[in-house]
Amino acid sequence: MSDKDLSWRFAEDFVVESAEIMQARQHSLEQGVEAVSPAMGAQIGVIAAATRARTIIEIGTGLGVSGLWLMSGAPEATLTSIDIELDYQQSARKAFTAAGIPINRARFITGRALDVLPRMNESSYDIVLVDADPHSVIEYVEHGLRLARAGGTVLVAHALWRGRVADPVQRDDTVTDYRTLLREIAGSSAVHSALSPVGDGLLQLTKVSD
């Protein structure tokens, strides 16, 4: 194992997850749903805390792991979470209840994100987390930047897509979409951007202005 791999593993093992997040993660594994890694969860929680987020929208509920991490950093926030799978959202709601998150702080919208997002208010969210269908990642980020307020942050999970984005041999459509997104963001003056290798890549975009 290389030094970089050892450091990556150390960063993942360094995180201590709450019992509620661990249970949601276990349910995700049982359902075959890929959740954000512990280190990525901790990082989005820190960003939520540093932002003092009050309004968060999440594209991709999963079984609640990412939402629990966001709310751990911003317990006074209201989270809107979109997913096409009702069963997943029901599990996430139970996880939120177990974590003591008031029911009025979490709104779950069941539906196709590309149908729901155009109806959401622009420039209204402190944080937008994109963790859904990778084939639509560019469209999700475009919506995310529209929905984020000036100074708000769009977070894109899995931005290195299982290590494949960094491998020039990989040229499938998903990898190409992530590379296109990263290339366009790198040259944009509309955001401050950073790409972290935590988990399988967390792209962070802070919106400069409306």
Side-chain angles (χ1 to χ4, degrees):
M1 185 177 287
S2 70
D3 290 345
K4 286 185 177 179
D5 288 337
L6 285 170
S7 295
W8 179 89
R9 175 51 55 193
F10 184 87
E12 292 290 341
D13 292 342
F14 169 78
V15 178
V16 178
E17 293 190 306
S18 69
E20 293 79 16
I21 294 176
M22 288 178 64
Q23 186 173 42
R25 184 176 300 284
Q26 181 59 39
H27 290 162
S28 297
L29 289 171
E30 291 169 358
Q31 294 293 324
V33 177
E34 184 175 6
V36 297
S37 75
M40 186 181 292
Q43 188 160 333
I44 65 175
V46 167
I47 292 168
T51 305
R52 298 184 180 181
R54 301 302 298 261
T55 52
I56 302 172
I57 187 165
E58 175 184 48
I59 305 168
T61 306
L63 275 74
V65 174
S66 55
L68 288 171
W69 268 116
L70 287 165
M71 295 299 283
S72 73
E76 300 302 314
T78 299
L79 172 71
T80 299
S81 189
I82 304 166
D83 203 293
I84 199 168
E85 297 289 347
L86 177 60
D87 290 347
Y88 293 170
Q89 291 189 322
Q90 290 175 335
S91 293
R93 190 183 295 278
K94 290 178 182 177
F96 277 42
T97 299
I101 297 171
I103 192 169
N104 64 343
R105 294 208 178 278
R107 177 172 63 146
F108 296 93
I109 300 175
T110 306
R112 182 172 173 268
L114 292 178
D115 294 332
V116 175
L117 291 170
R119 303 198 300 267
M120 310 308 289
N121 293 330
E122 63 182 59
S123 302
S124 298
Y125 294 91
D126 299 313
I127 291 178
V128 181
L129 175 65
V130 176
D131 185 13
D133 176 18
H135 301 294
S136 299
V137 66
I138 293 175
E139 292 170 283
Y140 291 152
V141 171
E142 289 173 348
H143 280 292
L145 290 171
R146 180 182 63 82
L147 297 177
R149 63 167 175 80
T153 298
V154 177
L155 303 171
V156 185
H158 313 297
L160 292 173
W161 196 245
R162 301 181 173 93
R164 295 167 64 85
V165 171
D167 183 353
V169 174
Q170 306 298 328
R171 298 177 181 272
D172 62 76
D173 289 345
T174 300
V175 169
T176 299
D177 284 347
Y178 277 110
R179 286 180 183 149
T180 299
L181 172 64
L182 292 171
R183 184 171 59 251
E184 290 179 355
I185 288 300
S188 174
S189 60
V191 296
H192 298 295
S193 63
L195 176 61
S196 168
V198 66
D200 61 344
L202 180 65
L203 178 61
Q204 304 158 71
L205 311 170
T206 296
K207 187 173 175 179
V208 173
S209 62
D210 289 326

